[in-house]
Amino acid sequence: MLTNEHIIDQALNRIVAGYVFPEKAAELDTVIRGRLAAGAYEGLDGAALCTAVTADFQEVVPDKHLRLLWTDVPQTPVRAGDADDADDADENAARAAFSARLREENQGIRRVEQLEGNVGLIDIRLIPSADEGAAAIGAAMQLVAHTSALVLDLRACPGGMPEGAAMWNSYFFPDDQVHLHDIEDTPSGTSRQFWTVAHLPAPRYLDRPVYILTSADTFSGGEDVAYTLQAHGRAVLVGETTRGGAHPTTRYAVTEHVLVTVPTARTISTVTGTNWEGVGVLPDLPVPADQALATALKAAGDRLAAA
């Protein structure tokens, strides 16, 4: 059985090697190793160890994607001298698991409804990849294509894929000429641009009001959709300030049951020049999450009546 010292050492090595802000990673490394040497994690194991270390991570660096996680499903840990192959295996395994989950959950689309007043509602629980999710997203948008206003419910969306977020966002712009944001990757020193998609499997939703419901649980990829559409003036956000995780993340297996999640990149909006990391996405109409739908429907009804 691996010791806590080994687990924390391996996790910190991953963070120092890849974290999006190297100077913060160095600070974190010093503080956590000091706490380890002082006996802060003695007597802890399994999920309890992961919870304690994660709390300390986020006390030093308040990044909600920076975590030590316990998983009941055995993983393949990194092997000495085989780090590159292990990295690929980690990433492939994580993608395969997420793809399987998305297939089980209808690519993250829980329900689509036509509400009173010809207002469409799409309840989104995960953001899929663009390739596997395109057909499901298109089917949902086809069902609301002739509504007078649209509500996207992201209150229970914990995240997903940036390519899928770009596809969702593309439906609310007229063409492929909108530069949404960039993602800057620290380990590779590269930057990737995200633009609206040229060809979509359903009609674009243009010249009609869009409302997005948010909660304190809305996170990561769900925040991407909300923040981007709000920043570009394409949606009104209703509900609570979101959780605040804007850094794309890579998971590494430290042991068979312990993963470290390392934010390796950061999202930069072409409108604001920044992102929602640590602060969340702020609603335009702040109300408790359980009142968000009613508030959005009233706002939509008033706007449609005025028009």
Side-chain angles (χ1 to χ4, degrees):
M1 180 177 178
L2 296 176
T3 65
N4 288 355
E5 288 79 2
H6 174 86
I7 292 169
I8 294 171
D9 176 69
Q10 293 298 307
L12 290 173
N13 288 343
R14 283 294 186 180
I15 293 169
V16 169
Y19 186 56
V20 62
F21 297 120
E23 67 285 355
K24 293 184 179 180
E27 177 187 1
L28 180 73
D29 184 71
T30 299
V31 172
I32 299 301
R33 289 188 189 280
R35 293 182 181 179
L36 175 64
Y41 310 113
E42 289 182 4
L44 298 176
D45 58 19
L49 174 66
C50 293
T51 298
V53 174
T54 296
D56 286 349
F57 280 177
Q58 295 182 4
E59 179 184 334
V60 181
V61 180
D63 185 327
K64 293 183 174 64
H65 275 124
L66 190 60
R67 295 173 290 177
L68 202 64
L69 298 177
W70 176 265
T71 174
D72 292 327
V73 180
Q75 308 291 308
T76 302
V78 175
R79 298 174 297 277
D82 198 21
D84 290 340
D85 290 344
D87 289 352
D88 291 341
D90 284 345
E91 184 173 353
N92 291 338
R95 284 185 173 272
F98 188 61
S99 293
R101 179 182 175 188
L102 283 164
R103 286 191 291 272
E104 292 173 356
E105 299 187 26
N106 196 36
Q107 300 300 323
I109 300 170
R110 178 61 58 91
R111 63 191 172 111
V112 182
E113 291 187 45
Q114 182 183 25
L115 304 178
E116 186 102 14
N118 197 31
V119 176
L121 170 68
I122 305 178
D123 185 349
I124 304 169
R125 301 298 177 93
L126 287 170
I127 306 298
S129 61
D131 51 357
E132 291 190 25
I137 295 171
M141 292 304 299
Q142 184 68 61
L143 290 173
V144 300
H146 301 294
T147 56
S148 301
L150 179 61
V151 175
L152 301 180
D153 188 350
L154 293 170
R155 289 176 293 181
C157 182
M161 306 297 289
E163 297 86 357
M167 173 156 284
W168 270 114
N169 289 330
S170 295
Y171 277 94
F172 305 101
F173 298 95
D175 50 37
D176 61 349
Q177 300 302 304
V178 181
H179 185 184
L180 300 170
H181 58 255
D182 298 332
I183 292 182
E184 298 179 352
D185 183 77
T186 297
S188 67
T190 60
S191 180
R192 180 182 178 186
Q193 296 183 346
F194 285 79
W195 293 70
T196 46
V197 178
H199 303 290
L200 298 170
R204 296 177 190 268
Y205 200 90
L206 307 175
D207 304 318
R208 285 162 287 174
V210 178
Y211 297 85
I212 295 178
L213 311 185
T214 60
S215 77
D217 293 325
T218 309
F219 192 54
S220 193
E223 292 176 293
D224 182 343
V225 175
Y227 187 90
T228 301
L229 292 180
Q230 182 190 52
H232 284 267
R234 193 59 193 89
V236 175
L237 270 57
V238 185
E240 299 171 343
T241 300
T242 62
R243 192 172 161 196
H247 293 156
T249 301
T250 302
R251 293 187 175 198
Y252 301 102
V254 176
T255 74
E256 287 189 346
H257 294 284
V258 177
L259 304 172
V260 60
T261 65
V262 183
T264 56
R266 60 176 182 153
T267 303
I268 305 295
S269 167
T270 56
V271 176
T272 67
T274 184
N275 58 45
W276 60 93
E277 178 63 38
V279 296
V281 187
L282 277 60
D284 301 295
L285 300 176
V287 295
D290 60 0
Q291 299 176 23
L293 178 57
T295 302
L297 292 177
K298 183 180 185 306
D302 291 345
R303 183 168 174 180
L304 293 174

